[in-house]
């Protein structure tokens, strides 16, 4: 069974440029998460989807970040414009159902460097 | 708000040593508790979990017991191997918030 797929794995951009990350969750997983992981820190939730609905986006900086999950499968996270402080690893995870007991499966992440 | 505190790393041990990584939490409800592991170049993987007080999660020789009275979920292994070298994250999931809250991670290096 394929795991959570993310692309690209690495991205280097200059500040003020836009950037987008893509995530394909495990087949059948209706809940999808985007996390931000700064160097030496644990992941922090940015947004959670249940199917195509964003049910928790309270930690998403909406002035520059946006996300979508059309058709409740793949998801895209965008930053426009990027700032130096956005350099981090962006993780996507998925789970079946929304119970707090359910295991979240993580992708390998996209490492973003903003110059 | 909910939070998780892990012992600071890095931790360096010799092969076959006993491992303890401390984890304590603060939560308003009755969370589920998890240990995730991140091997070099790979994504986070669930190592073990416990969903209620006094539950013991175990996997690959690792164990952790959900201690409500001390709000702790310490990770232990009796005899570590070089292949256990990784970053370990303690996390909780509050039923109300339905999201994982992670500690800062503990980097473990096992020397042969």
């Amino acid at each position: 069974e394929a795991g959570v797929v993310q692309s690209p794995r690495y991205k280097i951009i200059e500040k003020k440029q836009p950037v987008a990350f893509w995530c394909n969750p495990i087949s059948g997983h209706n809940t999808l998460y985007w996390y931000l992981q700064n160097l030496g820190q644990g992941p922090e939730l940015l947004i959670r989807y249940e199917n195509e609905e964003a049910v928790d986006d309270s930690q998403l900086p909406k002035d520059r970040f946006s996300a979508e999950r059309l058709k409740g499968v793949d998801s895209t996270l965008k930053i426009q414009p990027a700032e130096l402080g956005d350099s981090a690893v962006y993780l996507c995870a998925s789970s079946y159902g929304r119970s707090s007991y359910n295991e979240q499966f993580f992708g390998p992440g996209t490492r973003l460097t903003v110059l | 708000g909910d939070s998780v505190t892990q012992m600071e790393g890095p931790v360096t041990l010799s092969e076959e040593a006993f491992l303890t990584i401390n984890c304590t939490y603060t939560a308003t409800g009755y969370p589920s508790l998890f240990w995730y592991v991140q091997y070099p170049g790979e994504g986070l993987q669930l190592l073990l979990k416990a969903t209620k007080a006094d539950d013991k999660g175990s996997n690959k020789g690792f164990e952790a017991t959900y201690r409500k009275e001390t709000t702790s979920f310490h990770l232990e292994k009796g005899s570590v191997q070089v292949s256990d070298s990784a970053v370990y994250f303690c996390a909780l999931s509050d039923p109300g918030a339905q999201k994982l809250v992670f500690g800062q991670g503990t980097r473990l290096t096992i020397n042969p």
Side-chain angles (χ1 to χ4, degrees):
Chain A
E1 176 183 305
V4 176
V5 179
Q6 291 188 247
S7 69
R9 290 293 307 276
Y10 305 91
K11 187 74 176 179
I12 301 174
I13 61 171
E14 296 192 346
K15 63 181 181 182
K16 300 186 182 180
Q17 294 299 306
V19 64
F21 315 125
W22 176 79
C23 172
N24 182 253
I26 292 173
S27 178
H29 283 192
N30 56 326
T31 305
L32 183 145
Y33 313 77
W34 282 104
Y35 288 86
L36 165 68
Q37 186 177 17
N38 286 306
L39 186 65
Q41 301 295 317
E44 299 174 22
L45 181 71
L46 288 173
I47 188 168
R48 173 169 66 93
Y49 282 93
E50 289 179 15
N51 300 305
E52 66 276 6
E53 181 182 1
V55 294
D56 183 357
D57 63 356
S58 57
Q59 301 304 309
L60 189 73
K62 299 181 185 63
D63 56 336
R64 297 185 301 107
F65 286 66
S66 64
E68 61 183 11
R69 191 184 184 198
L70 300 176
K71 300 182 181 179
V73 182
D74 296 5
S75 177
T76 302
L77 178 68
K78 298 179 181 178
I79 308 175
Q80 182 171 10
E83 298 179 351
L84 295 177
D86 296 331
S87 295
V89 177
Y90 293 82
L91 298 170
C92 180
S94 68
S95 67
Y96 178 73
R98 57 188 181 96
S99 169
S100 62
Y101 308 154
N102 292 341
E103 178 180 354
Q104 293 184 26
F105 293 81
F106 285 80
T110 297
R111 182 177 296 276
L112 173 67
T113 302
V114 182
L115 302 176
Chain B
D2 296 347
S3 66
V4 175
T5 303
Q6 291 181 233
M7 66 184 287
E8 292 191 16
V11 175
T12 302
L13 297 172
S14 297
E15 204 165 21
E16 299 183 2
F18 183 86
L19 168 71
T20 300
I21 300 178
N22 290 335
C23 171
T24 57
Y25 68 90
T26 301
T28 52
Y30 296 94
S32 298
L33 302 175
F34 304 82
W35 277 99
Y36 277 81
V37 58
Q38 189 170 35
Y39 298 105
E42 298 184 17
L44 285 160
Q45 303 173 26
L46 179 66
L47 180 59
L48 53 85
K49 71 178 182 182
T51 58
K52 63 181 186 297
D54 299 325
D55 268 1
K56 177 185 284 187
S58 61
N59 186 25
K60 300 182 179 179
F62 290 89
E63 293 182 340
T65 301
Y66 190 142
R67 301 290 188 196
K68 188 170 182 292
E69 64 275 15
T70 55
T71 61
S72 65
F73 193 54
H74 305 320
L75 183 68
E76 296 182 335
K77 187 174 184 181
S79 176
V80 293
Q81 306 299 313
V82 172
S83 57
D84 294 328
S85 298
V87 181
Y88 291 81
F89 292 92
C90 185
L92 68 81
S93 180
D94 189 295
Q98 295 179 349
K99 68 178 183 181
L100 283 171
V101 175
F102 287 88
Q104 75 273 29
T106 301
R107 181 175 298 277
L108 173 67
T109 301
I110 307 300
N111 294 321

